């Protein structure tokens, strides 16, 4: 059984891509077979894993247009056990080009149904609640919502939760919220602690015990085309993502 997790929040810059790359790397480090889907036309997950533009063909755009899984779109990464279906700016056109096709919400699910032998598929969603995020949620068993621990963290979260509920009712009854992840936490900053307290009071147990600290190594790693875990396995950010992977595996075992 493949577990398919969307990393979603329509708010920009909250740590979706960072979580996708480093959670996927942590899971592959414990011998899980993992596939990342870069479902964002910005292509940040592909870049962060060091995949050059010229090696991104075919990518998610072609798969979506053809509604087929071309196995050559599944690219190796520098991380053993971790593969990726890449994207580039072409992907932005998919929404318009598929405006009138039948069952347009199920295109990604059809493609992912044809993948084999992965324990986890992690989908990096774009910062919008459009076609790509809806397709990702329809294809997923669960969703992780990263929240940046700052003043506007909860802004927009109710429209995200409504969208998840609507998808559950109309397209994918098995979809559930895997967890809410606090990112860029700064323990020395009282606002950050206040936001954490607020989020835990509001959402209770679905908030992961693990939080991701604000850590400069995490922000440097993508410019070297490496996951933080490869760039510096001992930094506080890498340790936190390893902790998150453990928490997810333990929850699953229950
Ligand atoms: N824990 C962290 N510590 C320091 N910097 C971080 C951390 N997490 C993410 N960042 C940095 O914050 C920025 C936004 O992170 P990221 O790209 O993961 O967010 P995103 O939600 O995927 O953004 P978008 O909505 O544009 O796709 C990046 O420059 C990233 O390197
Ligand atoms: Mg991103």
């Amino acid at each position: 059984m493949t577990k398919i997790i969307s990393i979603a929040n329509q708010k920009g810059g909250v740590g979706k891509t960072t979580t996708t790359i480093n959670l996927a790397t942590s899971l592959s480090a414990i011998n899980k077979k993992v596939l990342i889907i870069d479902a964002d036309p910005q292509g940040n997950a592909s870049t962060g894993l060091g995949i050059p533009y010229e090696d991104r063909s075919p990518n998610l755009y072609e798969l979506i247009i053809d509604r087929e899984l071309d196995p050559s779109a599944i690219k190796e990464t520098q991380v053993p056990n971790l593969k990726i279906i890449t994207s580039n700016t072409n992907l932005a056109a998919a929404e318009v080009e598929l405006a009138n096709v039948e069952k347009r919400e199920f295109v990604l699910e059809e493609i992912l149904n044809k993948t084999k032998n992965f324990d986890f598929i992690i989908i990096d969603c774009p910062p919008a609640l459009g076609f790509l995020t809806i397709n990702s949620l329809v294809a997923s068993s669960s969703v992780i919502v990263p929240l940046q621990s700052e003043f506007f963290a909860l802004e927009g979260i109710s429209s995200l939760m409504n969208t998840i509920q609507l998808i559950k009712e109309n397209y994918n009854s098995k979809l559930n919220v895997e967890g809410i992840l606090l990112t860029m936490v700064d323990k020395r900053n009282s606002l950050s602690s206040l936001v954490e307290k607020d989020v835990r009071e509001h959402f209770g147990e679905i908030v992961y015990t693990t939080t991701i600290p604000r850590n400069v190594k995490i922000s440097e790693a993508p410019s070297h085309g490496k996951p933080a875990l490869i760039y510096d396995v001992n930094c506080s950010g890498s340790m936190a993502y390893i902790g998150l992977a453990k928490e997810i595996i333990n929850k699953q075992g229950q």
Side-chain angles (χ1 to χ4, degrees):
M1 269 281 287
T2 307
K3 184 162 178 139
I4 306 182
I5 307 177
S6 279
I7 312 293
N9 187 339
Q10 79 277 23
K11 209 166 148 54
V14 297
K16 294 181 287 294
T17 303
T18 304
T19 299
T20 300
I21 292 176
N22 292 298
L23 174 60
T25 305
S26 302
L27 289 167
S28 51
I30 48 173
N31 274 330
K32 303 290 178 190
K33 292 193 167 38
V34 189
L35 174 66
I36 287 179
I37 311 293
D38 188 347
D40 184 350
Q42 297 181 99
N44 294 154
S46 309
T47 309
L49 279 162
I51 316 276
Y53 285 98
E54 56 274 20
D55 293 349
R56 293 186 202 172
S57 177
N59 62 46
L60 188 60
Y61 171 73
E62 281 95 24
L63 304 192
I64 284 180
I65 295 300
D66 298 343
R67 282 183 108 128
E68 260 308 325
L69 177 71
D70 177 344
S72 69
I74 300 178
K75 310 285 183 195
E76 301 282 341
T77 71
Q78 61 201 292
V79 182
N81 295 325
L82 178 61
K83 297 187 175 162
I84 183 168
I85 293 179
T86 60
S87 84
N88 60 19
T89 47
N90 286 351
L91 185 58
E95 172 145 23
V96 183
E97 289 175 35
L98 293 187
N100 296 315
V101 304
E102 234 178 88
K103 293 195 150 196
R104 64 196 294 270
E105 296 82 7
F106 296 92
V107 180
L108 187 59
E109 182 176 46
E110 287 167 21
I111 295 166
L112 297 188
N113 276 343
K114 293 173 186 153
T115 60
K116 290 197 187 88
N117 301 330
F118 290 105
D119 299 308
F120 288 90
I121 297 179
I122 315 249
I123 309 175
D124 185 23
C125 292
L129 285 177
F131 168 82
L132 291 163
T133 297
I134 290 172
N135 261 267
S136 302
L137 293 172
V138 171
S140 293
S141 18
S142 64
V143 50
I144 292 177
V145 180
L147 281 187
Q148 189 180 345
S149 53
E150 43 112 291
F151 183 63
F152 292 117
L154 291 170
E155 197 184 73
I157 192 88
S158 58
S159 36
L160 176 61
M161 291 302 174
N162 284 341
T163 304
I164 292 170
Q165 192 55 34
L166 280 174
I167 285 171
K168 206 175 154 97
E169 284 164 16
N170 294 296
Y171 305 119
N172 178 9
S173 58
K174 65 182 194 308
L175 181 69
N176 68 312
V177 178
E178 177 86 28
I180 292 177
L181 176 68
L182 282 155
T183 62
M184 299 181 233
V185 171
D186 182 354
K187 295 281 184 201
R188 295 160 308 175
N189 175 335
S190 56
L191 177 63
S192 185
S193 311
L194 211 63
V195 171
E196 179 170 353
K197 188 169 161 276
D198 245 26
V199 170
R200 290 194 188 281
E201 270 170 22
H202 192 80
F203 290 105
E205 281 202 338
I206 61 166
V207 185
Y208 289 113
T209 314
T210 308
T211 60
I212 311 300
R214 187 174 277 286
N215 174 227
V216 68
K217 299 277 184 185
I218 286 214
S219 54
E220 283 170 9
S223 63
H224 298 265
K226 288 180 176 165
L229 269 91
I230 305 273
Y231 182 61
D232 182 354
V233 70
N234 294 314
C235 73
S236 61
S238 297
M239 302 303 273
Y241 277 110
I242 293 168
L244 176 66
K246 282 188 192 151
E247 197 174 339
I248 289 170
I249 298 279
N250 289 343
K251 254 193 189 173
Q252 211 179 9
Q254 279 167 10

